Amino acid sequence: MTRRRTLRAAVGTAGTVGAVVLALTGCTGGSGGGGASSVPPTAVPTTAAPTSASSAAPASAAPSSTPSASGATGGSGATGGSGAAAAGPADGGTASGAGTCTVSSLTGSIVDGGGGGAGSVYLNLALRNTGSTPCTLQGWPGVSFVGDGNGTQIGAPAKLDRSGADPTVTLAAGQTADAPLRIVQAGNLEPGNCTTRQPDGFRVYPPGSKQSLFIASTAYTACRQQSAELLSVRAFVPEGQQQ
């Protein structure tokens, strides 16, 4: 009987000790020993990294630039000497609605431009609008001597003289624009630098055009050599407004 009471007392004591141990395992020590219960850690939400497709900025297409056709064409920056080729207005017109003059509505002539000097002759290359509607010219024509009865080019094409203005010239039906043309006299060159030829006339490309027209004239002498640059031309201006 005494043994049973002793055993129950021991069990009771053990239960108390166990409760105390369990209570202690739920406490934090801390530097101040306050015994506050610990807070379970808060989960940090993760954000998925954006994929390369979603994070890339949309590409901006760089404007493409289509190079102008080379050759003896005119325009503001035409070939036929120095300068890069450039076509006329991309839409073929202006704010006034007049389209670019084409070979089919133009006739050409060479007219006096004020005489000569220093071994050169100064003329005007004139283009007249023979169409029934207004059209525009802007820039330099391509000009060269041609001969042999078949339009073969003789010597170098005209250099572009950029010392004057290059306005947009609107031609009503019947009106004319002039491009001042300088021709160096072939006789002033050394014979070794110029093998003279008699041309049939001039091939002329209106500004921005890939088609040409022919102006007959046998009054001038050309050089066969490409190195003998006899011709130079300014941009078109209204008739009577040469600079």
Side-chain angles (χ1 to χ4, degrees):
M1 194 67 177
T2 302
R3 187 175 181 179
R4 288 181 181 176
R5 290 177 180 172
T6 302
L7 182 58
R8 287 177 182 174
V11 171
T13 302
T16 302
V17 172
V20 173
V21 171
L22 290 176
L24 290 176
T25 57
C27 300
T28 56
S31 58
S37 61
S38 62
V39 180
T42 303
V44 179
T46 59
T47 303
T51 63
S52 58
S54 62
S55 62
S60 299
S64 60
S65 176
T66 303
S68 303
S70 60
T73 58
S76 54
T79 58
S82 60
D91 60 357
T94 64
S96 64
T100 303
C101 297
T102 63
V103 169
S104 62
S105 63
L106 294 170
T107 57
S109 60
I110 300 294
V111 298
D112 181 38
S120 298
V121 177
Y122 294 89
L123 307 164
N124 285 322
L125 190 162
L127 292 184
R128 180 173 177 265
N129 179 11
T130 57
S132 59
T133 59
C135 64
T136 63
L137 292 173
Q138 193 273 326
W140 292 258
V143 185
S144 60
F145 284 121
V146 292
D148 294 343
N150 59 8
T152 299
Q153 181 174 314
I154 303 173
K159 296 185 296 183
L160 306 183
D161 182 348
R162 301 179 184 276
S163 60
D166 58 323
T168 297
V169 183
T170 300
L171 299 178
Q175 287 187 331
T176 299
D178 292 333
L181 177 67
R182 177 188 177 214
I183 304 176
V184 175
Q185 295 179 351
N188 291 336
L189 277 67
E190 294 293 331
N193 297 328
C194 176
T195 303
T196 59
R197 292 281 304 279
Q198 187 67 47
D200 299 327
F202 300 89
R203 177 185 292 124
V204 177
Y205 288 85
S209 175
K210 294 183 180 179
Q211 295 181 315
S212 64
L213 53 86
F214 172 70
I215 300 175
S217 177
T218 57
Y220 310 100
T221 302
C223 295
R224 181 188 299 273
Q225 289 90 337
Q226 289 278 330
S227 58
E229 297 179 329
L230 302 183
L231 304 174
S232 61
V233 66
R234 289 188 181 186
F236 279 103
V237 293
E239 185 179 22
Q241 295 186 19
Q242 292 80 8
Q243 298 183 6

